[in-house]
Amino acid sequence: MTIDFSAWLDDNTAIEDASRAALAWRRIQDKPTSVTFERPNGTSVGAQTVRVELSEFARDANSPAGAQTVRQAIVFGVRNHPDGSVADTDVKSGYTFILNNKEYRVADVVETLGEVQARAEVVS
């Protein structure tokens, strides 16, 4: 099989938001997790289906209270899905959620084509 790189490079078709959202939703469905985000003012966003990948990496953090460990998680959500029954993931920096009896705080959020990725941290 021969690959025509010229044809591949000449393809200037834009990536569609809806198709990327459908792919993101499919990845979420491979490992779905229901989380309820809470805003900094204490109000709940409500349960949402996302994918959470926990980092195996931990870093030490020292504070006046003593040494602690900080772990990260990446929360994958969806936005602009072509099926109206799939709601956009509502997550923002500062939101918190409980997972495995630990409270995570969302540090930052990146919106890409069809999906949302949030980096969260837990201190234990």
Side-chain angles (χ1 to χ4, degrees), residues 23-25 27-29 31-33 35 37 48-54 73-79 87-91 97 109-110 112 114-120:
L23 290 171
W25 185 243
R27 286 190 304 275
I28 290 168
Q29 294 306 304
K31 190 179 173 186
T33 302
V35 298
F37 293 106
Q48 300 180 76
T49 301
V50 296
R51 181 174 180 149
V52 180
E53 292 293 340
L54 302 174
I74 303 295
V75 179
F76 295 93
V78 67
R79 66 187 198 107
D88 287 358
T89 303
D90 182 1
V91 60
F97 63 96
V109 177
V110 176
T112 64
E115 68 180 296
V116 177
Q117 298 173 11
R119 184 177 56 87

mmCIF file of all heavy atoms in Angstrom, residues 23-25 27-29 31-33 35 37 48-54 73-79 87-91 97 109-110 112 114-120:
data_model
loop_
_atom_site.group_PDB
_atom_site.id
_atom_site.type_symbol
_atom_site.label_atom_id
_atom_site.label_comp_id
_atom_site.label_asym_id
_atom_site.label_seq_id
_atom_site.Cartn_x
_atom_site.Cartn_y
_atom_site.Cartn_z
ATOM 1 N N LEU A 23 -16.598 11.837 18.999
ATOM 2 C CA LEU A 23 -15.459 10.993 19.379
ATOM 3 C C LEU A 23 -15.142 11.146 20.869
ATOM 4 O O LEU A 23 -14.845 10.161 21.549
ATOM 5 C CB LEU A 23 -14.230 11.350 18.540
ATOM 6 C CG LEU A 23 -14.293 10.951 17.067
ATOM 7 C CD1 LEU A 23 -13.116 11.558 16.311
ATOM 8 C CD2 LEU A 23 -14.307 9.443 16.925
ATOM 9 N N ALA A 24 -15.202 12.364 21.375
ATOM 10 C CA ALA A 24 -14.945 12.598 22.803
ATOM 11 C C ALA A 24 -15.984 11.868 23.648
ATOM 12 O O ALA A 24 -15.648 11.230 24.649
ATOM 13 C CB ALA A 24 -14.964 14.099 23.108
ATOM 14 N N TRP A 25 -17.245 11.932 23.241
ATOM 15 C CA TRP A 25 -18.306 11.273 23.995
ATOM 16 C C TRP A 25 -18.117 9.752 23.992
ATOM 17 O O TRP A 25 -18.346 9.084 24.989
ATOM 18 C CB TRP A 25 -19.663 11.653 23.429
ATOM 19 C CG TRP A 25 -20.820 11.121 24.215
ATOM 20 C CD1 TRP A 25 -21.765 10.241 23.791
ATOM 21 C CD2 TRP A 25 -21.166 11.433 25.569
ATOM 22 N NE1 TRP A 25 -22.665 9.990 24.787
ATOM 23 C CE2 TRP A 25 -22.322 10.711 25.891
ATOM 24 C CE3 TRP A 25 -20.597 12.254 26.546
ATOM 25 C CZ2 TRP A 25 -22.928 10.770 27.145
ATOM 26 C CZ3 TRP A 25 -21.196 12.318 27.791
ATOM 27 C CH2 TRP A 25 -22.338 11.584 28.074
ATOM 28 N N ARG A 27 -15.211 8.203 23.841
ATOM 29 C CA ARG A 27 -14.129 7.919 24.789
ATOM 30 C C ARG A 27 -14.630 8.010 26.231
ATOM 31 O O ARG A 27 -14.238 7.217 27.082
ATOM 32 C CB ARG A 27 -12.953 8.879 24.573
ATOM 33 C CG ARG A 27 -12.132 8.571 23.340
ATOM 34 C CD ARG A 27 -10.847 9.389 23.290
ATOM 35 N NE ARG A 27 -11.052 10.828 23.358
ATOM 36 C CZ ARG A 27 -11.324 11.611 22.318
ATOM 37 N NH1 ARG A 27 -11.422 11.086 21.117
ATOM 38 N NH2 ARG A 27 -11.468 12.911 22.481
ATOM 39 N N ILE A 28 -15.499 8.970 26.503
ATOM 40 C CA ILE A 28 -16.069 9.099 27.839
ATOM 41 C C ILE A 28 -16.884 7.850 28.176
ATOM 42 O O ILE A 28 -16.809 7.335 29.292
ATOM 43 C CB ILE A 28 -16.930 10.379 27.942
ATOM 44 C CG1 ILE A 28 -16.026 11.618 27.892
ATOM 45 C CG2 ILE A 28 -17.786 10.370 29.206
ATOM 46 C CD1 ILE A 28 -16.760 12.919 27.692
ATOM 47 N N GLN A 29 -17.641 7.340 27.226
ATOM 48 C CA GLN A 29 -18.482 6.170 27.466
ATOM 49 C C GLN A 29 -17.675 4.894 27.695
ATOM 50 O O GLN A 29 -18.192 3.933 28.257
ATOM 51 C CB GLN A 29 -19.472 5.970 26.315
ATOM 52 C CG GLN A 29 -20.497 7.081 26.197
ATOM 53 C CD GLN A 29 -21.245 7.320 27.492
ATOM 54 O OE1 GLN A 29 -21.847 6.418 28.049
ATOM 55 N NE2 GLN A 29 -21.188 8.544 28.002
ATOM 56 N N LYS A 31 -15.236 4.756 29.753
ATOM 57 C CA LYS A 31 -14.911 4.786 31.184
ATOM 58 C C LYS A 31 -15.677 5.936 31.849
ATOM 59 O O LYS A 31 -15.082 6.899 32.321
ATOM 60 C CB LYS A 31 -13.396 4.971 31.342
ATOM 61 C CG LYS A 31 -12.887 4.775 32.742
ATOM 62 C CD LYS A 31 -11.373 4.960 32.763
ATOM 63 C CE LYS A 31 -10.853 4.945 34.172
ATOM 64 N NZ LYS A 31 -9.426 5.252 34.210
ATOM 65 N N PRO A 32 -17.003 5.843 31.875
ATOM 66 C CA PRO A 32 -17.799 6.958 32.400
ATOM 67 C C PRO A 32 -17.750 7.054 33.918
ATOM 68 O O PRO A 32 -17.691 6.050 34.625
ATOM 69 C CB PRO A 32 -19.218 6.619 31.927
ATOM 70 C CG PRO A 32 -19.230 5.129 31.844
ATOM 71 C CD PRO A 32 -17.831 4.731 31.423
ATOM 72 N N THR A 33 -17.759 8.281 34.391
ATOM 73 C CA THR A 33 -17.823 8.566 35.817
ATOM 74 C C THR A 33 -18.821 9.702 36.012
ATOM 75 O O THR A 33 -18.772 10.692 35.296
ATOM 76 C CB THR A 33 -16.443 9.000 36.353
ATOM 77 O OG1 THR A 33 -15.498 7.973 36.095
ATOM 78 C CG2 THR A 33 -16.487 9.282 37.843
ATOM 79 N N VAL A 35 -19.917 12.717 38.164
ATOM 80 C CA VAL A 35 -19.424 13.623 39.196
ATOM 81 C C VAL A 35 -20.382 14.803 39.315
ATOM 82 O O VAL A 35 -21.051 15.176 38.355
ATOM 83 C CB VAL A 35 -17.983 14.137 38.932
ATOM 84 C CG1 VAL A 35 -16.987 13.008 38.898
ATOM 85 C CG2 VAL A 35 -17.919 14.941 37.661
ATOM 86 N N PHE A 37 -20.127 18.654 40.234
ATOM 87 C CA PHE A 37 -19.246 19.792 40.490
ATOM 88 C C PHE A 37 -19.949 20.776 41.410
ATOM 89 O O PHE A 37 -21.168 20.966 41.326
ATOM 90 C CB PHE A 37 -18.868 20.497 39.187
ATOM 91 C CG PHE A 37 -17.999 19.679 38.283
ATOM 92 C CD1 PHE A 37 -18.509 19.111 37.132
ATOM 93 C CD2 PHE A 37 -16.663 19.470 38.590
ATOM 94 C CE1 PHE A 37 -17.707 18.359 36.291
ATOM 95 C CE2 PHE A 37 -15.851 18.718 37.762
ATOM 96 C CZ PHE A 37 -16.382 18.163 36.608
ATOM 97 N N GLN A 48 -22.898 15.055 36.283
ATOM 98 C CA GLN A 48 -22.537 15.027 34.869
ATOM 99 C C GLN A 48 -21.697 13.787 34.605
ATOM 100 O O GLN A 48 -20.938 13.353 35.464
ATOM 101 C CB GLN A 48 -21.719 16.270 34.494
ATOM 102 C CG GLN A 48 -22.449 17.573 34.725
ATOM 103 C CD GLN A 48 -21.603 18.759 34.341
ATOM 104 O OE1 GLN A 48 -21.432 19.046 33.163
ATOM 105 N NE2 GLN A 48 -21.039 19.421 35.328
ATOM 106 N N THR A 49 -21.828 13.255 33.404
ATOM 107 C CA THR A 49 -21.021 12.104 33.017
ATOM 108 C C THR A 49 -19.760 12.601 32.323
ATOM 109 O O THR A 49 -19.839 13.319 31.319
ATOM 110 C CB THR A 49 -21.807 11.166 32.079
ATOM 111 O OG1 THR A 49 -22.984 10.733 32.761
ATOM 112 C CG2 THR A 49 -20.972 9.965 31.695
ATOM 113 N N VAL A 50 -18.619 12.235 32.881
ATOM 114 C CA VAL A 50 -17.312 12.629 32.351
ATOM 115 C C VAL A 50 -16.396 11.407 32.400
ATOM 116 O O VAL A 50 -16.790 10.349 32.882
ATOM 117 C CB VAL A 50 -16.692 13.776 33.180
ATOM 118 C CG1 VAL A 50 -17.533 15.046 33.083
ATOM 119 C CG2 VAL A 50 -16.513 13.370 34.631
ATOM 120 N N ARG A 51 -15.197 11.572 31.928
ATOM 121 C CA ARG A 51 -14.161 10.557 32.093
ATOM 122 C C ARG A 51 -13.076 11.175 32.960
ATOM 123 O O ARG A 51 -12.630 12.293 32.698
ATOM 124 C CB ARG A 51 -13.583 10.139 30.746
ATOM 125 C CG ARG A 51 -12.511 9.073 30.869
ATOM 126 C CD ARG A 51 -12.062 8.574 29.526
ATOM 127 N NE ARG A 51 -11.033 7.562 29.694
ATOM 128 C CZ ARG A 51 -10.862 6.554 28.867
ATOM 129 N NH1 ARG A 51 -11.631 6.423 27.799
ATOM 130 N NH2 ARG A 51 -9.902 5.684 29.070
ATOM 131 N N VAL A 52 -12.661 10.456 33.996
ATOM 132 C CA VAL A 52 -11.620 10.949 34.894
ATOM 133 C C VAL A 52 -10.435 10.001 34.822
ATOM 134 O O VAL A 52 -10.581 8.800 35.015
ATOM 135 C CB VAL A 52 -12.124 11.043 36.349
ATOM 136 C CG1 VAL A 52 -11.023 11.555 37.263
ATOM 137 C CG2 VAL A 52 -13.356 11.930 36.441
ATOM 138 N N GLU A 53 -9.280 10.552 34.514
ATOM 139 C CA GLU A 53 -8.037 9.779 34.496
ATOM 140 C C GLU A 53 -7.163 10.288 35.627
ATOM 141 O O GLU A 53 -6.803 11.468 35.663
ATOM 142 C CB GLU A 53 -7.321 9.917 33.159
ATOM 143 C CG GLU A 53 -8.040 9.262 31.997
ATOM 144 C CD GLU A 53 -8.102 7.745 32.101
ATOM 145 O OE1 GLU A 53 -7.287 7.139 32.843
ATOM 146 O OE2 GLU A 53 -8.975 7.155 31.441
ATOM 147 N N LEU A 54 -6.860 9.413 36.557
ATOM 148 C CA LEU A 54 -6.033 9.765 37.703
ATOM 149 C C LEU A 54 -4.563 9.613 37.363
ATOM 150 O O LEU A 54 -4.161 8.627 36.745
ATOM 151 C CB LEU A 54 -6.378 8.877 38.897
ATOM 152 C CG LEU A 54 -7.836 8.925 39.354
ATOM 153 C CD1 LEU A 54 -8.083 7.889 40.434
ATOM 154 C CD2 LEU A 54 -8.194 10.310 39.835
ATOM 155 N N ALA A 73 -5.627 14.848 38.476
ATOM 156 C CA ALA A 73 -6.561 14.078 37.667
ATOM 157 C C ALA A 73 -6.933 14.946 36.473
ATOM 158 O O ALA A 73 -6.940 16.174 36.572
ATOM 159 C CB ALA A 73 -7.807 13.720 38.462
ATOM 160 N N ILE A 74 -7.214 14.304 35.368
ATOM 161 C CA ILE A 74 -7.715 15.013 34.197
ATOM 162 C C ILE A 74 -9.170 14.593 34.007
ATOM 163 O O ILE A 74 -9.483 13.403 33.982
ATOM 164 C CB ILE A 74 -6.909 14.699 32.918
ATOM 165 C CG1 ILE A 74 -5.429 15.018 33.116
ATOM 166 C CG2 ILE A 74 -7.478 15.458 31.717
ATOM 167 C CD1 ILE A 74 -5.120 16.475 33.337
ATOM 168 N N VAL A 75 -10.039 15.582 33.897
ATOM 169 C CA VAL A 75 -11.459 15.342 33.672
ATOM 170 C C VAL A 75 -11.745 15.667 32.209
ATOM 171 O O VAL A 75 -11.467 16.772 31.754
ATOM 172 C CB VAL A 75 -12.330 16.222 34.585
ATOM 173 C CG1 VAL A 75 -13.807 15.982 34.324
ATOM 174 C CG2 VAL A 75 -11.980 15.990 36.054
ATOM 175 N N PHE A 76 -12.288 14.691 31.495
ATOM 176 C CA PHE A 76 -12.620 14.874 30.088
ATOM 177 C C PHE A 76 -14.131 15.025 29.950
ATOM 178 O O PHE A 76 -14.894 14.179 30.412
ATOM 179 C CB PHE A 76 -12.151 13.672 29.256
ATOM 180 C CG PHE A 76 -10.672 13.505 29.235
ATOM 181 C CD1 PHE A 76 -10.040 12.674 30.147
ATOM 182 C CD2 PHE A 76 -9.890 14.176 28.309
ATOM 183 C CE1 PHE A 76 -8.669 12.510 30.140
ATOM 184 C CE2 PHE A 76 -8.513 14.023 28.293
ATOM 185 C CZ PHE A 76 -7.901 13.190 29.213
ATOM 186 N N GLY A 77 -14.543 16.106 29.317
ATOM 187 C CA GLY A 77 -15.959 16.355 29.077
ATOM 188 C C GLY A 77 -16.194 16.626 27.605
ATOM 189 O O GLY A 77 -15.279 16.567 26.781
ATOM 190 N N VAL A 78 -17.425 16.945 27.275
ATOM 191 C CA VAL A 78 -17.819 17.146 25.884
ATOM 192 C C VAL A 78 -18.488 18.510 25.727
ATOM 193 O O VAL A 78 -19.052 19.044 26.686
ATOM 194 C CB VAL A 78 -18.761 15.990 25.427
ATOM 195 C CG1 VAL A 78 -20.081 16.041 26.162
ATOM 196 C CG2 VAL A 78 -18.968 15.989 23.940
ATOM 197 N N ARG A 79 -18.386 19.065 24.525
ATOM 198 C CA ARG A 79 -19.113 20.297 24.208
ATOM 199 C C ARG A 79 -19.486 20.297 22.741
ATOM 200 O O ARG A 79 -18.772 19.719 21.906
ATOM 201 C CB ARG A 79 -18.328 21.546 24.585
ATOM 202 C CG ARG A 79 -17.078 21.774 23.805
ATOM 203 C CD ARG A 79 -16.276 22.953 24.385
ATOM 204 N NE ARG A 79 -15.340 23.417 23.392
ATOM 205 C CZ ARG A 79 -15.457 24.556 22.715
ATOM 206 N NH1 ARG A 79 -16.462 25.359 22.958
ATOM 207 N NH2 ARG A 79 -14.570 24.899 21.815
ATOM 208 N N ALA A 87 -25.475 16.903 26.929
ATOM 209 C CA ALA A 87 -25.244 18.288 27.364
ATOM 210 C C ALA A 87 -23.757 18.608 27.421
ATOM 211 O O ALA A 87 -22.924 17.729 27.666
ATOM 212 C CB ALA A 87 -25.866 18.504 28.741
ATOM 213 N N ASP A 88 -23.442 19.866 27.196
ATOM 214 C CA ASP A 88 -22.066 20.335 27.362
ATOM 215 C C ASP A 88 -21.655 20.157 28.824
ATOM 216 O O ASP A 88 -22.449 20.392 29.738
ATOM 217 C CB ASP A 88 -21.940 21.815 27.008
ATOM 218 C CG ASP A 88 -22.032 22.077 25.513
ATOM 219 O OD1 ASP A 88 -22.162 21.114 24.730
ATOM 220 O OD2 ASP A 88 -21.981 23.259 25.130
ATOM 221 N N THR A 89 -20.416 19.757 29.035
ATOM 222 C CA THR A 89 -19.896 19.620 30.390
ATOM 223 C C THR A 89 -19.679 21.012 30.971
ATOM 224 O O THR A 89 -19.024 21.850 30.360
ATOM 225 C CB THR A 89 -18.574 18.825 30.376
ATOM 226 O OG1 THR A 89 -18.808 17.560 29.771
ATOM 227 C CG2 THR A 89 -18.036 18.633 31.779
ATOM 228 N N ASP A 90 -20.250 21.241 32.136
ATOM 229 C CA ASP A 90 -20.124 22.532 32.811
ATOM 230 C C ASP A 90 -19.066 22.401 33.900
ATOM 231 O O ASP A 90 -19.332 21.881 34.977
ATOM 232 C CB ASP A 90 -21.467 22.943 33.420
ATOM 233 C CG ASP A 90 -21.420 24.299 34.102
ATOM 234 O OD1 ASP A 90 -20.349 24.950 34.102
ATOM 235 O OD2 ASP A 90 -22.453 24.712 34.653
ATOM 236 N N VAL A 91 -17.840 22.841 33.587
ATOM 237 C CA VAL A 91 -16.740 22.801 34.547
ATOM 238 C C VAL A 91 -15.885 24.048 34.350
ATOM 239 O O VAL A 91 -15.656 24.464 33.217
ATOM 240 C CB VAL A 91 -15.900 21.506 34.404
ATOM 241 C CG1 VAL A 91 -15.287 21.379 33.021
ATOM 242 C CG2 VAL A 91 -14.841 21.416 35.476
ATOM 243 N N PHE A 97 -15.093 18.680 43.228
ATOM 244 C CA PHE A 97 -15.915 17.474 43.123
ATOM 245 C C PHE A 97 -15.311 16.392 44.003
ATOM 246 O O PHE A 97 -14.132 16.447 44.342
ATOM 247 C CB PHE A 97 -16.040 16.988 41.667
ATOM 248 C CG PHE A 97 -14.750 16.564 41.021
ATOM 249 C CD1 PHE A 97 -14.360 15.231 40.994
ATOM 250 C CD2 PHE A 97 -13.921 17.496 40.417
ATOM 251 C CE1 PHE A 97 -13.182 14.833 40.389
ATOM 252 C CE2 PHE A 97 -12.740 17.111 39.796
ATOM 253 C CZ PHE A 97 -12.364 15.774 39.797
ATOM 254 N N VAL A 109 -8.974 24.824 33.031
ATOM 255 C CA VAL A 109 -9.819 24.178 32.032
ATOM 256 C C VAL A 109 -9.360 24.603 30.649
ATOM 257 O O VAL A 109 -9.072 25.775 30.415
ATOM 258 C CB VAL A 109 -11.306 24.570 32.225
ATOM 259 C CG1 VAL A 109 -12.181 23.966 31.139
ATOM 260 C CG2 VAL A 109 -11.789 24.146 33.605
ATOM 261 N N VAL A 110 -9.295 23.633 29.749
ATOM 262 C CA VAL A 110 -8.960 23.898 28.352
ATOM 263 C C VAL A 110 -10.127 23.416 27.498
ATOM 264 O O VAL A 110 -10.558 22.270 27.618
ATOM 265 C CB VAL A 110 -7.671 23.156 27.927
ATOM 266 C CG1 VAL A 110 -7.392 23.351 26.449
ATOM 267 C CG2 VAL A 110 -6.490 23.618 28.766
ATOM 268 N N THR A 112 -11.307 22.547 23.800
ATOM 269 C CA THR A 112 -10.811 22.244 22.463
ATOM 270 C C THR A 112 -11.998 21.908 21.580
ATOM 271 O O THR A 112 -13.146 21.927 22.029
ATOM 272 C CB THR A 112 -9.817 21.065 22.500
ATOM 273 O OG1 THR A 112 -10.500 19.889 22.944
ATOM 274 C CG2 THR A 112 -8.653 21.342 23.431
ATOM 275 N N GLY A 114 -14.851 20.253 20.331
ATOM 276 C CA GLY A 114 -15.744 19.188 20.746
ATOM 277 C C GLY A 114 -15.555 18.663 22.149
ATOM 278 O O GLY A 114 -16.313 17.802 22.581
ATOM 279 N N GLU A 115 -14.569 19.155 22.859
ATOM 280 C CA GLU A 115 -14.381 18.619 24.207
ATOM 281 C C GLU A 115 -13.815 19.654 25.166
ATOM 282 O O GLU A 115 -13.346 20.710 24.776
ATOM 283 C CB GLU A 115 -13.536 17.361 24.196
ATOM 284 C CG GLU A 115 -12.092 17.530 23.825
ATOM 285 C CD GLU A 115 -11.338 16.201 23.843
ATOM 286 O OE1 GLU A 115 -11.210 15.595 24.930
ATOM 287 O OE2 GLU A 115 -10.888 15.779 22.782
ATOM 288 N N VAL A 116 -13.874 19.268 26.432
ATOM 289 C CA VAL A 116 -13.365 20.080 27.530
ATOM 290 C C VAL A 116 -12.425 19.191 28.330
ATOM 291 O O VAL A 116 -12.729 18.029 28.578
ATOM 292 C CB VAL A 116 -14.522 20.557 28.444
ATOM 293 C CG1 VAL A 116 -13.997 21.330 29.630
ATOM 294 C CG2 VAL A 116 -15.526 21.356 27.669
ATOM 295 N N GLN A 117 -11.286 19.744 28.704
ATOM 296 C CA GLN A 117 -10.350 19.015 29.550
ATOM 297 C C GLN A 117 -10.031 19.896 30.751
ATOM 298 O O GLN A 117 -9.653 21.048 30.593
ATOM 299 C CB GLN A 117 -9.074 18.686 28.791
ATOM 300 C CG GLN A 117 -9.306 17.795 27.593
ATOM 301 C CD GLN A 117 -8.052 17.608 26.757
ATOM 302 O OE1 GLN A 117 -6.965 17.976 27.162
ATOM 303 N NE2 GLN A 117 -8.213 17.028 25.588
ATOM 304 N N ALA A 118 -10.210 19.311 31.940
ATOM 305 C CA ALA A 118 -9.968 20.057 33.170
ATOM 306 C C ALA A 118 -8.905 19.337 33.979
ATOM 307 O O ALA A 118 -8.959 18.119 34.146
ATOM 308 C CB ALA A 118 -11.256 20.173 33.977
ATOM 309 N N ARG A 119 -7.947 20.101 34.486
ATOM 310 C CA ARG A 119 -6.916 19.538 35.373
ATOM 311 C C ARG A 119 -7.332 19.830 36.803
ATOM 312 O O ARG A 119 -7.591 20.973 37.161
ATOM 313 C CB ARG A 119 -5.555 20.170 35.071
ATOM 314 C CG ARG A 119 -4.410 19.577 35.891
ATOM 315 C CD ARG A 119 -3.082 20.194 35.494
ATOM 316 N NE ARG A 119 -3.073 21.636 35.608
ATOM 317 C CZ ARG A 119 -2.781 22.325 36.700
ATOM 318 N NH1 ARG A 119 -2.477 21.686 37.812
ATOM 319 N NH2 ARG A 119 -2.787 23.647 36.690
ATOM 320 N N ALA A 120 -7.430 18.765 37.579
ATOM 321 C CA ALA A 120 -7.849 18.896 38.974
ATOM 322 C C ALA A 120 -6.777 18.341 39.886
ATOM 323 O O ALA A 120 -5.974 17.501 39.482
ATOM 324 C CB ALA A 120 -9.163 18.151 39.192
#
